[in-house]
Amino acid sequence: MVAREPSETRILSVASEHLRLHGLRRFTVVAVAEEAGMTHANVYRYFPSRVALVDAVVDVWLKATERRLADIADGPDPAEDKLERLILALAKANRDLLHEDPHLFAALSQAVAKRHAISRRNRARVRALFERVIDDGIATGAFEPRDRDRAIAFVIDATHRFIHPAALELEADVPQESVDARLSTLIRVALRTLATGVI
Amino acid sequence: MVAREPSETRILSVASEHLRLHGLRRFTVVAVAEEAGMTHANVYRYFPSRVALVDAVVDVWLKATERRLADIADGPDPAEDKLERLILALAKANRDLLHEDPHLFAALSQAVAKRHAISRRNRARVRALFERVIDDGIATGAFEPRDRDRAIAFVIDATHRFIHPAALELEADVPQESVDARLSTLIRVALRTLATGVI
DNA sequence: AAAATGACATAATTTGTAAAATGTCATTGC
DNA sequence: GCAATGACATTTTACAAATTATGTCATTTT
């Protein structure tokens, strides 16, 4: 158990593992520090608080997800395709997290519910991606909403159920295929709505 | 403090008052019984458990709300109008409860989250109202969805953010006018979608 | 000088126990 | 016979003490 990584990275990866395995409740700075081969005081050199450490772990996931979304948003494809893939990718990322790493999902869920800075910023950046794609669609004539801001709010509100952690938890036990079908319908309506200037 | 009401009714109204004033945490069968002028054992003659008593209180509100919704759904107006009013009334009922009786809202929220029978049944009945109005619209030609079931799921999914307690809590501090505007947009899109057979 | 520590004050959690609440039922009173 | 009770077992909650964790900082180590 030799620490080759620099301390900050090592703490973060141990914290990540610890959170995934034991969950928020049993996540302690002391335990993480011990597993990282240092005293807990040293952890505070790199992370200002326990909450900040947990948020840093969540943020790694958020940023990785954002990167994948940005790749979609910045791609060369038509805005319609990009918007559909953006929504599907975001919904899938959150839904997969719920099933594959429930503890990390719970930490994310809390950060969102308590409006932590990482979640507010993530939300702003993801929203910016939606705006970018919709603006792209408007520029190319694929979308023709009467009111651009209203159109953006519409897309976000309509898809809320399939994207927001609190909403996803409610449907954890609904068969994925059924959820997929409903989301697919919603996306079709959203795209059609943006294209035909109903808003 | 003479009990004119029959016991069951009296227990229920005392319980209702107690929940509204003190909240779920401090709601005890013993306290309710005392305030109703009887021993707690007697409460169990009418309600099988503490949870059942709380649920009964919530159910009174749910049923009253359902009645108002049913009045809309069964009215003589065009299906489009009725669907719009149905959504607005349901959203407003839940949102008003959140602000005017937070304790009762919290109890409702829990019943929904834990899938209590009262909430599942309420959900089924409210859904039936939506189905009725949409079927009405299909019968009169106002709505022409390709797939009726898909259309119903779409309306419920799209409006989720403005109706579900868990979603409403997230936006408790957003100005009502802003929420109203967004909901209004969503309803317009939903009506247009149903009318034009996109689904 | 940067990294890490030990020692410390404060805050949160756990543990054990007393008190109170939930839920049951045989009996009482109307 | 129906409503209500008192007595009781079981489950929760409330409280206090002890333990553990969080967060700070002067000092040591590399």
Side-chain angles (χ1 to χ4, degrees):
Chain A
M1 204 188 274
V2 184
R4 284 264 165 273
E5 304 162 282
S7 293
E8 185 170 343
T9 315
R10 171 146 181 78
I11 294 166
L12 201 53
S13 66
V14 169
S16 180
E17 184 195 345
H18 215 270
L19 182 60
R20 183 171 51 82
L21 293 177
H22 310 301
L24 256 185
R25 285 277 320 270
R26 300 192 181 173
F27 178 99
T28 70
V29 177
V30 169
V32 170
E34 188 181 4
E35 210 169 305
M38 61 185 72
T39 55
H40 76 277
N42 198 43
V43 170
Y44 286 94
R45 279 185 53 76
Y46 301 96
F47 300 94
S49 70
R50 187 193 107 113
V51 168
L53 179 52
V54 173
D55 279 355
V57 172
V58 173
D59 208 34
V60 168
W61 185 87
L62 286 176
K63 291 264 173 60
T65 303
E66 275 175 41
R67 275 192 294 277
R68 292 201 306 279
L69 297 180
D71 284 347
I72 295 171
D74 295 337
D77 315 280
E80 282 193 52
D81 293 357
K82 293 200 292 188
L83 185 54
E84 168 160 26
R85 288 169 53 205
L86 202 58
I87 296 168
L88 284 173
L90 184 50
K92 181 168 163 45
N94 287 336
R95 188 164 221 273
D96 286 352
L97 186 66
L98 168 62
H99 290 114
E100 286 162 23
D101 192 344
H103 286 144
L104 183 55
F105 182 92
L108 167 61
S109 211
Q110 269 220 14
V112 171
K114 295 189 173 173
R115 294 175 160 80
H116 290 193
I118 52 150
S119 118
R120 289 204 316 273
R121 288 183 196 130
N122 166 260
R123 184 184 161 84
R125 286 187 300 257
V126 170
R127 190 191 162 94
L129 292 179
F130 275 86
E131 294 187 1
R132 213 189 297 174
V133 172
I134 290 173
D135 285 340
D136 182 359
I138 293 174
T140 61
F143 300 149
E144 290 187 329
R146 289 198 218 133
D147 183 320
R148 178 240 187 212
D149 290 345
R150 204 176 292 173
I152 290 164
F154 158 71
V155 171
I156 291 172
D157 284 335
T159 54
H160 176 271
R161 174 160 213 180
F162 300 99
I163 286 176
H164 198 283
L168 291 178
E169 276 176 290
L170 297 170
E171 301 212 296
D173 52 353
V174 175
Q176 192 144 359
E177 62 201 26
S178 153
V179 175
D180 286 346
R182 285 159 42 208
L183 176 54
S184 164
T185 298
L186 212 51
I187 291 174
R188 196 142 13 111
V189 171
L191 292 179
R192 184 65 88 88
T193 300
L194 290 174
T196 57
V198 176
I199 300 183
Chain B
M1 203 190 275
V2 183
R4 284 264 165 273
E5 304 162 283
S7 293
E8 184 171 342
T9 315
R10 172 147 181 77
I11 294 167
L12 201 53
S13 64
V14 169
S16 180
E17 186 194 342
H18 216 271
L19 182 61
R20 184 171 51 81
L21 293 177
H22 309 301
L24 255 185
R25 288 273 323 268
R26 301 192 182 174
F27 178 99
T28 70
V29 176
V30 169
V32 169
E34 187 181 6
E35 209 169 304
M38 61 185 71
T39 55
H40 76 277
N42 198 43
V43 170
Y44 287 93
R45 280 187 54 75
Y46 301 97
F47 300 93
S49 70
R50 186 193 108 113
V51 168
L53 179 53
V54 173
D55 279 356
V57 171
V58 173
D59 207 35
V60 168
W61 185 88
L62 286 176
K63 292 265 173 62
T65 302
E66 276 176 39
R67 275 193 294 277
R68 292 203 305 279
L69 298 180
D71 284 347
I72 294 171
D74 295 336
D77 315 281
E80 282 193 52
D81 293 357
K82 295 200 291 188
L83 185 54
E84 168 160 27
R85 288 169 53 207
L86 202 58
I87 296 168
L88 285 172
L90 184 50
K92 182 169 161 45
N94 287 337
R95 188 163 221 275
D96 286 352
L97 187 66
L98 168 62
H99 290 112
E100 285 161 24
D101 192 343
H103 286 144
L104 182 55
F105 182 91
L108 167 61
S109 213
Q110 269 220 13
V112 172
K114 294 189 173 173
R115 294 175 161 79
H116 290 193
I118 53 150
S119 116
R120 289 203 318 272
R121 288 183 196 131
N122 167 259
R123 185 184 160 85
R125 287 187 299 255
V126 170
R127 189 192 163 94
L129 292 178
F130 275 85
E131 294 187 1
R132 213 189 297 174
V133 171
I134 289 173
D135 285 340
D136 181 357
I138 293 173
T140 62
F143 300 149
E144 291 186 331
R146 290 198 218 133
D147 184 320
R148 177 234 185 218
D149 290 344
R150 203 176 292 175
I152 290 165
F154 158 70
V155 171
I156 292 173
D157 284 336
T159 55
H160 176 269
R161 175 160 211 179
F162 301 98
I163 284 175
H164 198 284
L168 291 178
E169 276 176 291
L170 296 171
E171 301 214 296
D173 51 353
V174 176
Q176 192 145 1
E177 61 201 27
S178 153
V179 177
D180 286 347
R182 284 159 44 208
L183 176 53
S184 164
T185 299
L186 212 51
I187 291 174
R188 196 141 17 106
V189 171
L191 293 180
R192 183 66 89 87
T193 301
L194 291 175
T196 56
V198 177
I199 301 182

